[in-house]
PDB file of all heavy atoms in Angstrom:
ATOM      1  N   ASP A  91      59.248  85.005  62.481  1.00 96.00           N
ATOM      2  CA  ASP A  91      59.268  84.123  63.655  1.00 96.00           C
ATOM      3  C   ASP A  91      60.631  84.161  64.341  1.00 96.00           C
ATOM      4  O   ASP A  91      60.719  84.132  65.575  1.00 96.00           O
ATOM      5  CB  ASP A  91      58.945  82.686  63.237  1.00 96.00           C
ATOM      6  CG  ASP A  91      57.597  82.572  62.546  1.00 96.00           C
ATOM      7  OD1 ASP A  91      56.611  83.082  63.092  1.00 96.00           O
ATOM      8  OD2 ASP A  91      57.546  81.987  61.443  1.00 96.00           O
ATOM      9  N   VAL A  92      61.697  84.253  63.537  1.00 97.00           N
ATOM     10  CA  VAL A  92      63.050  84.337  64.101  1.00 97.00           C
ATOM     11  C   VAL A  92      63.211  85.631  64.891  1.00 97.00           C
ATOM     12  O   VAL A  92      63.726  85.639  66.019  1.00 97.00           O
ATOM     13  CB  VAL A  92      64.109  84.257  62.979  1.00 97.00           C
ATOM     14  CG1 VAL A  92      65.507  84.464  63.551  1.00 97.00           C
ATOM     15  CG2 VAL A  92      64.020  82.916  62.256  1.00 97.00           C
ATOM     16  N   ILE A  93      62.751  86.736  64.317  1.00 97.00           N
ATOM     17  CA  ILE A  93      62.845  88.026  65.005  1.00 97.00           C
ATOM     18  C   ILE A  93      62.044  88.000  66.307  1.00 97.00           C
ATOM     19  O   ILE A  93      62.498  88.493  67.351  1.00 97.00           O
ATOM     20  CB  ILE A  93      62.359  89.165  64.094  1.00 97.00           C
ATOM     21  CG1 ILE A  93      63.273  89.305  62.878  1.00 97.00           C
ATOM     22  CG2 ILE A  93      62.297  90.492  64.858  1.00 97.00           C
ATOM     23  CD1 ILE A  93      62.799  90.315  61.851  1.00 97.00           C
ATOM     24  N   GLU A  94      60.857  87.403  66.260  1.00 97.00           N
ATOM     25  CA  GLU A  94      60.021  87.317  67.465  1.00 97.00           C
ATOM     26  C   GLU A  94      60.748  86.585  68.585  1.00 97.00           C
ATOM     27  O   GLU A  94      60.717  87.011  69.753  1.00 97.00           O
ATOM     28  CB  GLU A  94      58.704  86.615  67.139  1.00 97.00           C
ATOM     29  CG  GLU A  94      57.761  86.530  68.323  1.00 97.00           C
ATOM     30  CD  GLU A  94      56.456  85.822  67.995  1.00 97.00           C
ATOM     31  OE1 GLU A  94      56.275  85.407  66.819  1.00 97.00           O
ATOM     32  OE2 GLU A  94      55.621  85.674  68.909  1.00 97.00           O
ATOM     33  N   GLU A  95      61.414  85.483  68.256  1.00 97.00           N
ATOM     34  CA  GLU A  95      62.141  84.718  69.275  1.00 97.00           C
ATOM     35  C   GLU A  95      63.346  85.496  69.794  1.00 97.00           C
ATOM     36  O   GLU A  95      63.637  85.470  70.992  1.00 97.00           O
ATOM     37  CB  GLU A  95      62.573  83.364  68.706  1.00 97.00           C
ATOM     38  CG  GLU A  95      61.428  82.408  68.417  1.00 97.00           C
ATOM     39  CD  GLU A  95      60.586  82.134  69.639  1.00 97.00           C
ATOM     40  OE1 GLU A  95      61.163  81.845  70.711  1.00 97.00           O
ATOM     41  OE2 GLU A  95      59.343  82.208  69.537  1.00 97.00           O
ATOM     42  N   LEU A  96      64.052  86.185  68.911  1.00 97.00           N
ATOM     43  CA  LEU A  96      65.225  86.943  69.341  1.00 97.00           C
ATOM     44  C   LEU A  96      64.834  88.117  70.238  1.00 97.00           C
ATOM     45  O   LEU A  96      65.563  88.455  71.177  1.00 97.00           O
ATOM     46  CB  LEU A  96      66.001  87.452  68.122  1.00 97.00           C
ATOM     47  CG  LEU A  96      66.738  86.382  67.305  1.00 97.00           C
ATOM     48  CD1 LEU A  96      67.385  87.006  66.068  1.00 97.00           C
ATOM     49  CD2 LEU A  96      67.786  85.674  68.152  1.00 97.00           C
ATOM     50  N   ARG A  97      63.691  88.728  69.979  1.00 96.00           N
ATOM     51  CA  ARG A  97      63.233  89.849  70.800  1.00 96.00           C
ATOM     52  C   ARG A  97      62.943  89.436  72.241  1.00 96.00           C
ATOM     53  O   ARG A  97      62.897  90.268  73.133  1.00 96.00           O
ATOM     54  CB  ARG A  97      61.970  90.472  70.191  1.00 96.00           C
ATOM     55  CG  ARG A  97      62.217  91.378  68.997  1.00 96.00           C
ATOM     56  CD  ARG A  97      62.990  92.612  69.365  1.00 96.00           C
ATOM     57  NE  ARG A  97      62.956  93.624  68.314  1.00 96.00           N
ATOM     58  CZ  ARG A  97      63.884  94.527  68.131  1.00 96.00           C
ATOM     59  NH1 ARG A  97      64.956  94.545  68.925  1.00 96.00           N
ATOM     60  NH2 ARG A  97      63.775  95.425  67.169  1.00 96.00           N
ATOM     61  N   LYS A  98      62.760  88.147  72.488  1.00 94.00           N
ATOM     62  CA  LYS A  98      62.501  87.664  73.850  1.00 94.00           C
ATOM     63  C   LYS A  98      63.773  87.605  74.688  1.00 94.00           C
ATOM     64  O   LYS A  98      63.705  87.422  75.900  1.00 94.00           O
ATOM     65  CB  LYS A  98      61.866  86.268  73.790  1.00 94.00           C
ATOM     66  CG  LYS A  98      60.503  86.226  73.119  1.00 94.00           C
ATOM     67  CD  LYS A  98      59.993  84.795  73.005  1.00 94.00           C
ATOM     68  CE  LYS A  98      58.661  84.722  72.264  1.00 94.00           C
ATOM     69  NZ  LYS A  98      58.204  83.311  72.096  1.00 94.00           N
ATOM     70  N   ILE A  99      64.921  87.724  74.032  1.00 93.00           N
ATOM     71  CA  ILE A  99      66.213  87.602  74.709  1.00 93.00           C
ATOM     72  C   ILE A  99      66.764  88.999  74.992  1.00 93.00           C
ATOM     73  O   ILE A  99      66.827  89.842  74.097  1.00 93.00           O
ATOM     74  CB  ILE A  99      67.198  86.799  73.837  1.00 93.00           C
ATOM     75  CG1 ILE A  99      66.605  85.413  73.526  1.00 93.00           C
ATOM     76  CG2 ILE A  99      68.557  86.676  74.518  1.00 93.00           C
ATOM     77  CD1 ILE A  99      67.359  84.644  72.464  1.00 93.00           C
ATOM     78  N   ASN A 100      67.145  89.260  76.226  1.00 87.00           N
ATOM     79  CA  ASN A 100      67.587  90.608  76.622  1.00 87.00           C
ATOM     80  C   ASN A 100      68.649  91.172  75.693  1.00 87.00           C
ATOM     81  O   ASN A 100      68.610  92.349  75.338  1.00 87.00           O
ATOM     82  CB  ASN A 100      68.130  90.583  78.063  1.00 87.00           C
ATOM     83  CG  ASN A 100      67.026  90.626  79.100  1.00 87.00           C
ATOM     84  OD1 ASN A 100      65.943  91.128  78.842  1.00 87.00           O
ATOM     85  ND2 ASN A 100      67.297  90.088  80.270  1.00 87.00           N
ATOM     86  N   LYS A 101      69.577  90.336  75.304  1.00 90.00           N
ATOM     87  CA  LYS A 101      70.696  90.791  74.484  1.00 90.00           C
ATOM     88  C   LYS A 101      70.239  91.387  73.155  1.00 90.00           C
ATOM     89  O   LYS A 101      70.908  92.262  72.591  1.00 90.00           O
ATOM     90  CB  LYS A 101      71.645  89.617  74.234  1.00 90.00           C
ATOM     91  CG  LYS A 101      72.903  89.954  73.459  1.00 90.00           C
ATOM     92  CD  LYS A 101      73.812  88.738  73.441  1.00 90.00           C
ATOM     93  CE  LYS A 101      75.120  89.039  72.754  1.00 90.00           C
ATOM     94  NZ  LYS A 101      76.048  87.896  72.829  1.00 90.00           N
ATOM     95  N   PHE A 102      69.104  90.930  72.651  1.00 93.00           N
ATOM     96  CA  PHE A 102      68.645  91.353  71.325  1.00 93.00           C
ATOM     97  C   PHE A 102      67.435  92.286  71.371  1.00 93.00           C
ATOM     98  O   PHE A 102      66.923  92.677  70.329  1.00 93.00           O
ATOM     99  CB  PHE A 102      68.309  90.119  70.480  1.00 93.00           C
ATOM    100  CG  PHE A 102      69.433  89.131  70.376  1.00 93.00           C
ATOM    101  CD1 PHE A 102      69.346  87.888  70.970  1.00 93.00           C
ATOM    102  CD2 PHE A 102      70.595  89.455  69.684  1.00 93.00           C
ATOM    103  CE1 PHE A 102      70.386  86.972  70.880  1.00 93.00           C
ATOM    104  CE2 PHE A 102      71.638  88.552  69.589  1.00 93.00           C
ATOM    105  CZ  PHE A 102      71.539  87.303  70.184  1.00 93.00           C
ATOM    106  N   LYS A 103      66.970  92.635  72.563  1.00 90.00           N
ATOM    107  CA  LYS A 103      65.748  93.428  72.682  1.00 90.00           C
ATOM    108  C   LYS A 103      65.875  94.798  72.030  1.00 90.00           C
ATOM    109  O   LYS A 103      64.901  95.338  71.509  1.00 90.00           O
ATOM    110  CB  LYS A 103      65.348  93.579  74.153  1.00 90.00           C
ATOM    111  CG  LYS A 103      64.626  92.361  74.702  1.00 90.00           C
ATOM    112  CD  LYS A 103      64.147  92.594  76.128  1.00 90.00           C
ATOM    113  CE  LYS A 103      63.346  91.386  76.618  1.00 90.00           C
ATOM    114  NZ  LYS A 103      62.903  91.567  78.021  1.00 90.00           N
ATOM    115  N   LEU A 142      57.296  94.039  67.089  1.00 93.00           N
ATOM    116  CA  LEU A 142      58.662  93.584  66.839  1.00 93.00           C
ATOM    117  C   LEU A 142      59.619  94.741  66.553  1.00 93.00           C
ATOM    118  O   LEU A 142      60.835  94.571  66.592  1.00 93.00           O
ATOM    119  CB  LEU A 142      58.681  92.597  65.660  1.00 93.00           C
ATOM    120  CG  LEU A 142      57.983  91.262  65.896  1.00 93.00           C
ATOM    121  CD1 LEU A 142      58.025  90.403  64.639  1.00 93.00           C
ATOM    122  CD2 LEU A 142      58.597  90.514  67.075  1.00 93.00           C
TER     123      LEU A 142
END
Side-chain angles (χ1 to χ4, degrees):
D91 302 310
V92 175
I93 296 174
E94 182 180 359
E95 292 303 312
L96 290 176
R97 282 294 194 207
K98 296 176 183 177
I99 302 169
N100 279 334
K101 183 173 183 175
F102 305 112
K103 280 185 176 178
L142 293 178

